[in-house]
Short mmCIF file of all heavy atoms in Angstrom, two decimals:
data_model
loop_
_atom_site.label_atom_id
_atom_site.label_comp_id
_atom_site.label_asym_id
_atom_site.label_seq_id
_atom_site.Cartn_x
_atom_site.Cartn_y
_atom_site.Cartn_z
N ALA A 438 60.57 -18.54 -52.23
CA ALA A 438 59.78 -17.37 -52.65
C ALA A 438 60.67 -16.13 -52.71
O ALA A 438 60.59 -15.35 -53.67
CB ALA A 438 58.61 -17.15 -51.69
N GLU A 439 61.52 -15.96 -51.70
CA GLU A 439 62.42 -14.82 -51.66
C GLU A 439 63.40 -14.84 -52.83
O GLU A 439 63.62 -13.82 -53.49
CB GLU A 439 63.19 -14.81 -50.33
CG GLU A 439 64.00 -13.56 -50.12
CD GLU A 439 64.69 -13.56 -48.75
OE1 GLU A 439 64.04 -13.90 -47.75
OE2 GLU A 439 65.88 -13.19 -48.71
N ALA A 440 63.94 -16.02 -53.13
CA ALA A 440 64.88 -16.15 -54.25
C ALA A 440 64.20 -15.83 -55.59
O ALA A 440 64.83 -15.29 -56.50
CB ALA A 440 65.48 -17.55 -54.28
N LEU A 441 62.90 -16.16 -55.69
CA LEU A 441 62.17 -15.91 -56.92
C LEU A 441 61.57 -14.50 -56.98
O LEU A 441 61.03 -14.08 -57.99
CB LEU A 441 61.05 -16.95 -57.08
CG LEU A 441 61.50 -18.39 -57.31
CD1 LEU A 441 60.30 -19.34 -57.27
CD2 LEU A 441 62.24 -18.54 -58.63
N GLY A 442 61.65 -13.78 -55.85
CA GLY A 442 61.16 -12.41 -55.81
C GLY A 442 59.65 -12.29 -55.79
O GLY A 442 59.08 -11.34 -56.30
N ILE A 443 58.99 -13.30 -55.19
CA ILE A 443 57.53 -13.27 -55.05
C ILE A 443 57.17 -13.55 -53.59
O ILE A 443 58.04 -13.95 -52.81
CB ILE A 443 56.83 -14.29 -55.98
CG1 ILE A 443 57.27 -15.73 -55.67
CG2 ILE A 443 57.08 -13.96 -57.45
CD1 ILE A 443 56.52 -16.79 -56.44
N SER A 444 55.91 -13.34 -53.25
CA SER A 444 55.49 -13.62 -51.88
C SER A 444 55.28 -15.12 -51.69
O SER A 444 55.04 -15.85 -52.65
CB SER A 444 54.19 -12.87 -51.56
OG SER A 444 53.10 -13.44 -52.27
N THR A 445 55.34 -15.54 -50.45
CA THR A 445 55.09 -16.95 -50.13
C THR A 445 53.69 -17.35 -50.55
O THR A 445 53.47 -18.44 -51.08
CB THR A 445 55.29 -17.18 -48.62
OG1 THR A 445 56.59 -16.74 -48.25
CG2 THR A 445 55.15 -18.65 -48.26
N ILE A 446 52.74 -16.44 -50.35
CA ILE A 446 51.35 -16.75 -50.72
C ILE A 446 51.22 -16.94 -52.22
O ILE A 446 50.52 -17.84 -52.69
CB ILE A 446 50.40 -15.64 -50.21
CG1 ILE A 446 50.38 -15.68 -48.67
CG2 ILE A 446 49.00 -15.82 -50.76
CD1 ILE A 446 49.63 -14.53 -48.04
N GLU A 447 51.90 -16.09 -53.02
CA GLU A 447 51.88 -16.27 -54.48
C GLU A 447 52.45 -17.62 -54.86
O GLU A 447 51.89 -18.32 -55.71
CB GLU A 447 52.67 -15.16 -55.16
CG GLU A 447 51.99 -13.83 -55.22
CD GLU A 447 52.88 -12.76 -55.84
OE1 GLU A 447 53.90 -12.41 -55.21
OE2 GLU A 447 52.54 -12.29 -56.93
N LEU A 448 53.55 -17.99 -54.23
CA LEU A 448 54.18 -19.28 -54.53
C LEU A 448 53.24 -20.43 -54.20
O LEU A 448 53.05 -21.34 -55.00
CB LEU A 448 55.49 -19.42 -53.74
CG LEU A 448 56.27 -20.72 -53.96
CD1 LEU A 448 56.71 -20.86 -55.41
CD2 LEU A 448 57.48 -20.76 -53.03
N LEU A 449 52.61 -20.37 -53.04
CA LEU A 449 51.70 -21.44 -52.63
C LEU A 449 50.40 -21.46 -53.43
O LEU A 449 49.82 -22.52 -53.65
CB LEU A 449 51.39 -21.33 -51.14
CG LEU A 449 52.58 -21.56 -50.20
CD1 LEU A 449 52.20 -21.27 -48.76
CD2 LEU A 449 53.12 -22.98 -50.34
N SER A 450 49.94 -20.29 -53.87
CA SER A 450 48.68 -20.25 -54.63
C SER A 450 48.89 -20.66 -56.08
O SER A 450 47.93 -21.00 -56.78
CB SER A 450 48.07 -18.85 -54.58
OG SER A 450 48.80 -17.95 -55.39
N GLY A 451 50.13 -20.63 -56.54
CA GLY A 451 50.41 -21.01 -57.93
C GLY A 451 50.09 -19.88 -58.91
O GLY A 451 50.01 -20.09 -60.10
N GLU A 452 49.91 -18.67 -58.40
CA GLU A 452 49.60 -17.53 -59.25
C GLU A 452 50.58 -16.41 -58.99
O GLU A 452 50.78 -16.00 -57.86
CB GLU A 452 48.20 -17.00 -58.95
CG GLU A 452 47.08 -17.91 -59.37
CD GLU A 452 45.74 -17.30 -59.04
OE1 GLU A 452 45.57 -16.08 -59.24
OE2 GLU A 452 44.85 -18.03 -58.60
N ASN A 453 51.18 -15.92 -60.06
CA ASN A 453 52.03 -14.74 -59.96
C ASN A 453 51.13 -13.54 -60.20
O ASN A 453 50.57 -13.38 -61.28
CB ASN A 453 53.14 -14.81 -61.00
CG ASN A 453 54.11 -13.66 -60.87
OD1 ASN A 453 54.11 -12.96 -59.88
ND2 ASN A 453 54.94 -13.48 -61.87
N VAL A 454 50.94 -12.71 -59.19
CA VAL A 454 50.00 -11.60 -59.28
C VAL A 454 50.74 -10.33 -59.59
O VAL A 454 51.71 -9.97 -58.91
CB VAL A 454 49.22 -11.45 -57.96
CG1 VAL A 454 48.33 -10.23 -58.00
CG2 VAL A 454 48.39 -12.69 -57.72
N THR A 455 50.31 -9.63 -60.65
CA THR A 455 50.87 -8.34 -61.00
C THR A 455 49.73 -7.35 -60.97
O THR A 455 48.76 -7.45 -61.73
CB THR A 455 51.49 -8.37 -62.43
OG1 THR A 455 52.47 -9.41 -62.45
CG2 THR A 455 52.14 -7.05 -62.76
N ASN A 456 49.84 -6.37 -60.10
CA ASN A 456 48.82 -5.36 -59.96
C ASN A 456 49.03 -4.33 -61.06
O ASN A 456 50.03 -3.63 -61.09
CB ASN A 456 48.89 -4.70 -58.59
CG ASN A 456 47.74 -3.74 -58.35
OD1 ASN A 456 47.02 -3.38 -59.26
ND2 ASN A 456 47.59 -3.33 -57.11
N THR A 457 48.06 -4.24 -61.99
CA THR A 457 48.17 -3.30 -63.10
C THR A 457 47.51 -1.97 -62.80
O THR A 457 47.51 -1.07 -63.62
CB THR A 457 47.54 -3.89 -64.38
OG1 THR A 457 46.17 -4.23 -64.09
CG2 THR A 457 48.29 -5.14 -64.83
N ASN A 458 46.95 -1.83 -61.60
CA ASN A 458 46.27 -0.59 -61.22
C ASN A 458 47.30 0.39 -60.62
O ASN A 458 47.23 0.79 -59.48
CB ASN A 458 45.15 -0.89 -60.20
CG ASN A 458 44.28 0.31 -59.92
OD1 ASN A 458 44.33 1.31 -60.63
ND2 ASN A 458 43.46 0.21 -58.90
N LYS A 459 48.28 0.77 -61.44
CA LYS A 459 49.39 1.60 -60.97
C LYS A 459 48.97 3.00 -60.55
O LYS A 459 49.60 3.64 -59.74
CB LYS A 459 50.47 1.71 -62.05
CG LYS A 459 51.04 0.37 -62.47
CD LYS A 459 51.83 -0.26 -61.37
CE LYS A 459 52.47 -1.54 -61.87
NZ LYS A 459 52.90 -2.41 -60.85
N SER A 460 47.86 3.50 -61.11
CA SER A 460 47.42 4.85 -60.73
C SER A 460 46.56 4.84 -59.49
O SER A 460 46.11 5.87 -59.03
CB SER A 460 46.65 5.48 -61.90
OG SER A 460 45.48 4.73 -62.18
N PHE A 461 46.29 3.66 -58.93
CA PHE A 461 45.53 3.50 -57.71
C PHE A 461 44.15 4.11 -57.80
O PHE A 461 43.71 4.80 -56.91
CB PHE A 461 46.29 4.04 -56.48
CG PHE A 461 47.58 3.32 -56.26
CD1 PHE A 461 48.77 3.90 -56.63
CD2 PHE A 461 47.58 2.05 -55.72
CE1 PHE A 461 49.97 3.22 -56.43
CE2 PHE A 461 48.78 1.39 -55.52
CZ PHE A 461 49.96 1.96 -55.88
N ASN A 462 43.46 3.85 -58.90
CA ASN A 462 42.07 4.27 -59.05
C ASN A 462 41.24 3.35 -58.18
O ASN A 462 41.11 2.17 -58.48
CB ASN A 462 41.67 4.20 -60.52
CG ASN A 462 40.26 4.65 -60.76
OD1 ASN A 462 39.43 4.68 -59.85
ND2 ASN A 462 39.96 4.99 -61.99
N MET A 463 40.67 3.87 -57.12
CA MET A 463 39.94 3.04 -56.16
C MET A 463 38.70 2.40 -56.79
O MET A 463 38.20 1.40 -56.30
CB MET A 463 39.56 3.84 -54.92
CG MET A 463 40.77 4.29 -54.11
SD MET A 463 41.90 2.96 -53.68
CE MET A 463 40.95 2.10 -52.46
N ALA A 464 38.21 2.96 -57.90
CA ALA A 464 37.06 2.35 -58.57
C ALA A 464 37.43 1.00 -59.17
O ALA A 464 36.55 0.20 -59.48
CB ALA A 464 36.52 3.28 -59.65
N LYS A 465 38.72 0.73 -59.31
CA LYS A 465 39.18 -0.57 -59.82
C LYS A 465 39.54 -1.52 -58.69
O LYS A 465 40.19 -2.53 -58.89
CB LYS A 465 40.38 -0.38 -60.74
CG LYS A 465 40.06 0.41 -62.00
CD LYS A 465 41.28 0.56 -62.86
CE LYS A 465 40.96 1.37 -64.11
NZ LYS A 465 42.15 1.58 -64.93
#
C-alpha cells in the first residue's frame, strides 16, 4: 500500500478513493 501511495484500507477494499470535495463544503 505504501509503495502504491494508497492506504491499506483502500488496497484491501479494492477501491481507490479520491475525495473531490476539495473546498470542504460540509453539506457534501
Side-chain angles (χ1 to χ4, degrees):
E439 188 176 315
L441 294 173
I443 61 174
S444 71
T445 305
I446 294 173
E447 284 177 293
L448 180 62
L449 294 174
S450 72
E452 291 181 40
N453 184 13
V454 175
T455 304
N456 186 348
T457 57
N458 189 12
K459 301 292 185 198
S460 62
F461 298 102
N462 181 340
M463 294 308 288
K465 295 180 181 178

